[in-house]
Amino acid sequence: MAVPVAALCCLLPLLPAPLAPGVPRWLAAPVDWPKVALLSFLHGCWESLAQGLPTPCLRLVRRALLRPALPERAPARTGANAFFPVLFAGVLMLPPAAAALVAVPAALLGGPIAPGSRACLSIRRAPGWNWQTRPRRRQLFNGSQLALCAFASSVAFHLLRGPELLLGSRFPAALLPGFAAVAAFCLVNGVLVGGMLMLTEGRHPGVLLRGARSVCGLPVLVHAAGGLMVAVLWQGPYGAFAALLALLPLSISAWVFAQGQRERDAHQATVQSLVQAVEIKDAYTRGHSERVGRASVLIATQLGMEAERLRTLRFAGILHDVGKLGVATELLRRNGPLTEEERRAVEVHPVYGYELVRGIDFLGEAHAGILHHHERMDGRGYPSGLAGDRIPEFARIISVADAFDSMTSTRSYRRGRPVTEAVAELERCSGSQFDPVMVRALIEALAVHDWQPVLPPPDEAIRAVPDIPLGVPEPARAAPGRVPAQGGGAPMAGQP
């Protein structure tokens, strides 16, 4: 409750009370209430538009026409990418308390989320707590957070005589108070977000500084520049009309970005649905897909791969085992040897995976990565027996990431091994099974990024899993007429 109480205190100067001695006059200056109301309304409208949500205007019209309410949906873009030019314009044109008030109505109605608030919405809480089931508390925090940020930002702007410089269009002198206002906004917001993380997750105090840095980026500077332009035009001869026209280019770009973000969210939901289906079928691989995606990105980042391909590669890593949906569950959970026929049934899963996802256009290069991630550099892999550089780059990366996570996590046929032992096995198989470039990239990435082996729960089923060193075929006591689950003769790192 501390944040809402502090926000309420910021609004006290709006009350008709005599000014206390020593308090600056601008802190309790007369308020242009029509301007406050218009800015509050515009802030809510533009923020809703930028997040791909119905605007307050549309909602009011539908209510007036007695139409049913539109279905609720999540914002397309939250966190540091929220749309704040109108709020910043209020910071520059209004007294601090009035600027804080501009942010409140839209946030309380479920609209804008302050930069960085996304982190707060994903915080682990006590059992029974759910932001979705307690929307009023979430909206109260969002509104209070934005109000405090706007108040602090406006105070910084006034302390440096910003309104006088802005009214006289004295540039570039007016830019210094403007930068100070942006810095104050980001600092207060970062402290609030970091403080919430400290209280709920016991984070280190250094999270306060990191929180402030995380929300002070290019989007905030662009929005601040837009707010400065709106304030200058608003106070010019053409008033609010010119300011609204100036917002159009920013609004269109924000709306386009929101649609792209919504499409990316749909892609992520599609991928997650497929992964969940695989993990339900084979409990031993729970979390394996996400970890392979992460390890693949670590390798590719070390190689200098561009951002768009990194995103596609992550999808390929996450979906590399989706073809196991077509493999018998009993074979996936077998902790003993497989017959030759059973092994062929398991080895066809890359083809099944490719058939499942080939119609999903946004996966692009991921199709080849999913189909060929079990190929070997020496040409003894499957399903196509490709060798060397004929194996697609995505497949060579996923092959290393998949084997590494398989070795460091407990599977139905072998307990997880230490990272150092898994790295040694990758180096041993480098050049024959794995691409040496990819193995070296993973080793270099592990030197920078911590990777902890997955520790299974200590139950009876896990205790029954054999603890076999890497490089030894599993099981070493293969019965006549059967082949080891890890390969017919020579041991292989990882799992089919």
Side-chain angles (χ1 to χ4, degrees):
M1 289 299 294
V3 174
V5 170
L8 192 61
C9 292
C10 292
L11 302 179
L12 291 179
L14 296 174
L15 299 176
L19 201 63
V23 176
R25 287 186 174 274
W26 49 260
L27 194 61
V31 177
D32 185 346
W33 289 107
K35 182 182 289 186
V36 172
L38 182 56
L39 284 171
S40 299
F41 181 72
L42 292 176
H43 175 52
C45 286
W46 255 270
E47 175 64 23
S48 299
L49 181 66
Q51 291 189 358
L53 299 175
T55 64
C57 295
L58 179 59
R59 293 179 179 179
L60 288 174
V61 169
R62 292 185 69 88
R63 286 184 181 179
L65 297 177
L66 301 179
R67 297 286 181 85
L70 294 170
E72 292 293 329
R73 58 180 180 178
R77 49 199 297 269
T78 56
N81 290 324
F83 190 78
F84 288 108
V86 177
L87 180 58
F88 279 125
V91 165
L92 303 180
M93 293 190 295
L94 299 171
L101 189 60
V102 169
V104 173
L108 292 182
L109 291 174
I113 298 178
S117 292
R118 188 176 189 175
C120 292
L121 299 183
S122 61
I123 291 172
R124 295 190 299 271
R125 297 182 180 276
W129 177 276
N130 189 328
W131 277 108
Q132 298 302 321
T133 59
R134 301 181 183 236
R136 293 299 177 190
R137 296 191 182 187
R138 173 177 58 82
Q139 292 166 5
L140 180 62
F141 179 82
N142 289 339
S144 303
Q145 183 182 2
L146 277 174
L148 286 171
C149 292
F151 182 86
S153 182
S154 184
V155 167
F157 187 68
H158 280 78
L159 285 175
L160 295 176
R161 300 176 54 243
E164 301 173 25
L165 299 172
L166 184 64
L167 194 59
S169 297
R170 295 167 62 180
F171 292 98
L175 295 179
L176 177 61
F179 280 122
V182 173
F185 188 97
C186 294
L187 179 62
V188 172
N189 185 70
V191 168
L192 291 175
V193 173
M196 181 66 72
L197 292 173
M198 286 176 57
L199 291 174
T200 57
E201 293 193 342
R203 298 282 190 90
H204 189 272
V207 75
L208 296 176
L209 182 59
R210 290 196 296 273
R213 286 203 308 264
S214 68
V215 297
C216 188
L218 183 60
V220 172
L221 294 177
V222 171
H223 294 167
L228 178 63
M229 179 173 59
V230 169
V232 170
L233 292 173
W234 195 304
Q235 297 181 140
Y238 298 103
F241 179 73
L244 293 179
L245 288 180
L247 279 175
L248 281 178
L250 275 176
S251 304
I252 293 171
S253 64
W255 182 83
V256 170
F257 184 90
Q259 302 315 304
Q261 183 63 46
R262 194 172 293 282
E263 183 178 351
R264 287 190 289 272
D265 290 344
H267 294 172
Q268 182 66 33
T270 301
V271 171
Q272 285 301 124
S273 297
L274 291 170
V275 170
Q276 286 174 4
V278 176
E279 293 183 345
I280 289 172
K281 185 167 186 175
D282 185 5
Y284 278 97
T285 63
R286 193 155 296 152
H288 170 67
S289 299
E290 288 287 349
R291 292 193 299 272
V292 171
R294 179 192 166 207
S296 299
V297 169
L298 289 179
I299 295 171
T301 302
Q302 204 68 30
L303 298 174
M305 186 176 290
E306 57 269 23
E308 190 58 35
R309 292 189 72 209
L310 277 177
R311 177 174 173 269
T312 305
L313 174 64
R314 178 175 172 272
F315 284 154
I318 292 174
L319 291 173
H320 74 285
D321 273 344
V322 71
K324 288 184 177 179
L325 289 172
V327 179
T329 304
E330 188 274 331
L331 296 182
L332 296 177
R333 297 182 178 181
R334 177 83 60 83
N335 63 358
L338 302 175
T339 65
E340 188 65 42
E341 182 180 355
E342 290 170 337
R343 183 173 183 81
R344 283 196 298 268
V346 172
E347 289 182 350
V348 80
H349 79 267
V351 178
Y352 288 158
Y354 173 74
E355 293 294 331
L356 277 171
V357 303
R358 68 175 179 174
I360 305 178
D361 293 335
F362 71 83
L363 290 177
E365 281 186 88
H367 295 144
I370 293 169
L371 177 61
H372 296 294
H373 72 277
H374 276 299
E375 305 287 358
R376 290 173 52 113
M377 295 297 288
D378 58 11
R380 297 171 56 202
Y382 58 88
S384 303
L386 301 181
D389 291 339
R390 292 184 61 201
I391 303 173
E393 183 182 24
F394 274 25
R396 283 178 279 142
I397 292 174
I398 295 171
S399 175
V400 173
D402 182 26
F404 175 72
D405 184 70
S406 295
M407 290 186 285
T408 56
S409 56
T410 294
R411 316 302 292 272
S412 60
Y413 52 85
R414 189 198 306 273
R415 291 192 190 182
R417 312 305 300 175
V419 170
T420 53
E421 190 174 331
V423 167
E425 180 70 5
L426 288 175
E427 290 181 313
R428 187 181 72 82
C429 299
S430 178
S432 58
Q433 184 175 350
F434 306 116
D435 186 339
V437 175
M438 307 307 175
V439 172
R440 178 52 51 190
L442 177 63
I443 294 172
E444 292 173 355
L446 293 175
V448 180
H449 303 276
D450 185 40
W451 187 285
Q452 296 295 331
V454 179
L455 300 177
D459 55 25
E460 291 297 329
I462 295 300
R463 282 196 287 271
V465 175
D467 187 9
I468 302 173
L470 296 174
V472 176
E474 195 287 317
R477 57 187 186 285
R482 292 178 178 261
V483 296
Q486 288 302 302
M492 295 170 59
Q495 180 198 21

